[in-house]
Amino acid sequence: MNMIGGIMTQLTLKQFNAHYYYKTDLIKLCRRYNLPTYGTKAELTRYLRAYLSGIPKQQILPVRQPKLPRTRLSHNDISLSTPLVDSGFSFNREARQFFADYFGVPQFSFKKKMAVIKRKAEADHDLTMTVGDLIRAYQQPDNLVKQSQEEATYQWNHFVKAFCADPDSSRFNQKIKVAAILWHHVKRSSKSKNYQHRLLKKYAVEIQTFIK
């Protein structure tokens, strides 16, 4: 079902909650219903759920205004743990100097696949993707990077579907946000990348603020 197609005028809250949306899809929906279009996926989801619950759009106000351009990081500010998204990191002279220092070379040239990886992190609003992850991907052969990205996308989509299928997921008012928190831990672990009910208990402290 294409929720951004002709059926969108018939969208109900139940239909909305039953599907996974990329941020670009949420922005399109918000724009169609004249709702705020700036914010995180969680914020955009909140606007749409409020509207589909019957709250007049005039009463749905933006949580925050668009940010002013962030001050660029200097090469001394960049580290392996620097997030690629919402940190000020950019492929500029400072980043080039950081990579040159890291690899011990006089000059460093950015590769196309580095930009592709960063754009995907931005599109998914993946705050867990770091400069260290970027370097590891940069050092992999191109075919392995593509396979890794496709596998990560498949695993994440499967994880979200399994989480939403868990009856206990209905306790949360921001399912995708909760799933993302759980996925962050699962992705970093050496264990199975599948959703398991026990994760709700293991990370209960982190997700309790999203309980209805």
Side-chain angles (χ1 to χ4, degrees):
M1 183 183 299
N2 181 7
M3 302 305 295
I4 309 300
I7 195 172
M8 187 159 56
T9 56
Q10 305 172 16
L11 184 63
T12 65
L13 180 61
K14 182 177 180 180
Q15 290 173 329
F16 180 78
N17 288 335
H19 290 78
Y20 172 76
Y21 299 89
Y22 290 103
K23 186 175 181 180
T24 52
D25 296 330
L26 296 174
I27 292 174
K28 289 178 182 178
L29 284 169
C30 286
R31 185 174 292 120
R32 181 178 181 88
Y33 295 126
N34 294 317
L35 299 172
T37 57
Y38 174 79
T40 63
K41 287 184 65 176
E43 290 165 349
L44 297 175
T45 298
R46 189 182 313 154
Y47 302 147
L48 286 162
R49 282 181 175 155
Y51 177 78
L52 295 173
S53 296
I55 298 176
K57 61 185 177 183
Q58 295 83 357
Q59 297 179 19
I60 303 174
L61 303 177
V63 174
R64 54 199 174 92
Q65 298 299 322
K67 298 178 181 178
L68 295 174
R70 186 187 293 271
T71 302
R72 299 297 184 186
L73 300 176
S74 72
H75 70 276
N76 290 322
D77 294 326
I78 302 172
S79 70
L80 295 179
S81 61
T82 299
L84 296 184
V85 180
D86 284 357
S87 68
F89 176 82
S90 180
F91 290 130
N92 55 17
R93 182 175 60 185
E94 297 298 326
R96 184 177 288 108
Q97 182 61 55
F98 168 82
F99 288 119
D101 292 344
Y102 179 86
F103 289 107
V105 296
Q107 290 186 333
F108 180 86
S109 298
F110 298 119
K111 303 298 182 182
K112 181 179 179 180
K113 66 180 179 182
M114 298 176 75
V116 171
I117 293 168
K118 187 174 186 295
R119 283 198 298 270
K120 184 178 186 304
E122 291 171 339
D124 295 342
H125 201 64
D126 186 353
L127 302 180
T128 68
M129 189 73 173
T130 66
V131 170
D133 295 325
L134 180 65
I135 289 176
R136 284 188 286 274
Y138 165 77
Q139 294 174 314
Q140 291 181 352
D142 290 347
N143 63 321
L144 292 183
V145 172
K146 182 178 180 180
Q147 292 173 7
S148 176
Q149 290 176 332
E150 291 176 348
E151 178 65 15
T153 299
Y154 169 79
Q155 290 176 335
W156 161 245
N157 290 339
H158 184 72
F159 186 91
V160 171
K161 290 181 180 179
F163 168 74
C164 291
D166 185 338
D168 275 359
S169 68
S170 62
R171 297 187 293 120
F172 303 99
N173 56 22
Q174 294 186 39
K175 286 187 179 182
I176 300 303
K177 177 64 175 179
V178 173
I181 293 173
L182 300 178
W183 173 247
H184 169 71
H185 292 288
V186 170
K187 183 175 67 171
R188 299 283 177 172
S189 74
S190 59
K191 298 182 180 180
S192 168
K193 305 308 179 209
N194 297 321
Y195 169 76
Q196 298 180 32
H197 179 77
R198 63 178 179 80
L199 295 171
L200 296 180
K201 183 176 181 180
K202 185 173 183 179
Y203 301 108
V205 175
E206 292 184 53
I207 62 179
Q208 62 182 354
T209 57
F210 299 100
I211 296 177
K212 295 179 181 177

